């Protein structure tokens, strides 16, 4: 499985956003310090909280990924909003079937899911785009370079 771009929990959220922009990706996993355990996800959609939540905005250049996730969860809970940041990181295992992945993505209203091992260590990412490309043939370059930031599924994948 290809290496997933990631940020450690003590890394700056500002750097995570810059990395997402540079790599053309919509989200990045947050990894526990000193391990490979996935503890959360920051998406481009979450950037809105840097602008709309004053308690987060005042530290936007120095807030760590872990503190950002904590602050956003607190903000959402206080405002009674439900989203994956509140309920926790949505993950799957290598042995999930294509049908299970599609149902999970649909039920959670998300566009990608991180693959973890039995200990919660990050192994990869599967996007909705990956699944669609397995179901529908698209000639190489059909979408130009629009999806170049999407990680391909490994050839020996069960999904």
């Amino acid at each position: 499985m290809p290496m997933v771009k990631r940020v450690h929990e003590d890394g700056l959220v500002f750097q995570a956003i810059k990395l997402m922009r540079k790599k053309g990706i919509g989200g990045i996993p947050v990894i526990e310090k000193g391990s490979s355990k996935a503890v959360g996800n920051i998406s481009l959609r979450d950037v809105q909280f840097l602008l709309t939540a004053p308690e987060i905005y005042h530290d936007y250049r120095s807030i760590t990924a872990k503190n950002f996730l904590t602050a956003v969860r607190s903000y959402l809970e206080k405002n009674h909003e439900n989203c994956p940041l509140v309920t926790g990181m949505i993950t799957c295992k290598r042995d999930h079937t294509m049908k299970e992945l599609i149902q999970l993505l649909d039920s959670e209203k998300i566009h990608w899911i991180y693959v973890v091992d039995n200990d919660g260590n990050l192994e990869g990412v599967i996007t909705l785009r990956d699944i669609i490309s397995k179901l529908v043939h698209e000639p190489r370059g059909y979408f130009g370079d629009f999806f170049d930031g999407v990680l391909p599924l490994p050839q020996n994948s069960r999904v």
Side-chain angles (χ1 to χ4, degrees):
M1 200 168 285
M3 183 63 150
V4 178
K5 301 299 177 204
R6 58 187 74 196
V7 63
H8 286 92
E9 64 184 357
D10 59 347
L12 297 178
V13 74
F14 192 65
Q15 294 301 322
I17 294 166
K18 284 172 57 175
L19 181 61
M20 285 187 282
R21 184 172 183 266
K22 179 181 176 185
K23 297 296 182 182
I25 54 178
I28 193 165
V30 177
I31 304 300
E32 184 179 84
K33 186 176 181 178
S35 79
S36 295
K37 291 192 186 333
V39 295
N41 176 74
I42 296 172
S43 74
L44 288 177
R45 180 176 46 192
D46 301 330
V47 173
Q48 69 176 316
F49 297 109
L50 291 173
L51 305 173
T52 60
E55 60 271 25
I56 299 170
Y57 175 77
H58 76 281
D59 287 332
Y60 83 97
R61 286 199 181 267
S62 61
I63 191 168
T64 64
K66 181 180 181 178
N67 290 342
F68 176 76
L69 290 174
T70 301
V72 170
R73 284 181 184 129
S74 174
Y75 176 83
L76 291 169
E77 288 169 354
K78 186 169 51 173
N79 291 293
H80 307 289
E81 295 183 41
N82 192 16
C83 79
L85 268 176
V86 173
T87 57
M89 190 170 182
I90 309 299
T91 62
C92 71
K93 302 283 193 303
R94 282 181 175 256
D95 61 354
H96 272 76
T97 65
M98 179 82 82
K99 180 179 178 181
E100 290 170 328
L101 289 173
I102 292 169
Q103 289 172 333
L104 188 56
L105 290 169
D106 179 56
S107 69
E108 296 293 336
K109 306 296 183 235
I110 55 177
H111 296 264
W112 63 80
I113 188 165
Y114 293 107
V115 181
V116 296
D117 66 15
N118 289 332
D119 296 321
N121 296 306
L122 183 65
E123 293 189 325
V125 62
I126 298 173
T127 68
L128 184 57
R129 180 97 219 115
D130 295 328
I131 293 171
I132 291 170
S133 71
K134 292 294 180 193
L135 300 174
V136 178
H137 172 71
E138 296 167 359
R140 188 163 190 83
Y142 182 76
F143 290 102
D145 63 358
F146 185 76
F147 292 108
D148 283 355
V150 176
L151 296 174
L153 285 172
Q155 289 185 336
N156 62 351
S157 173
R158 289 189 58 194
V159 291

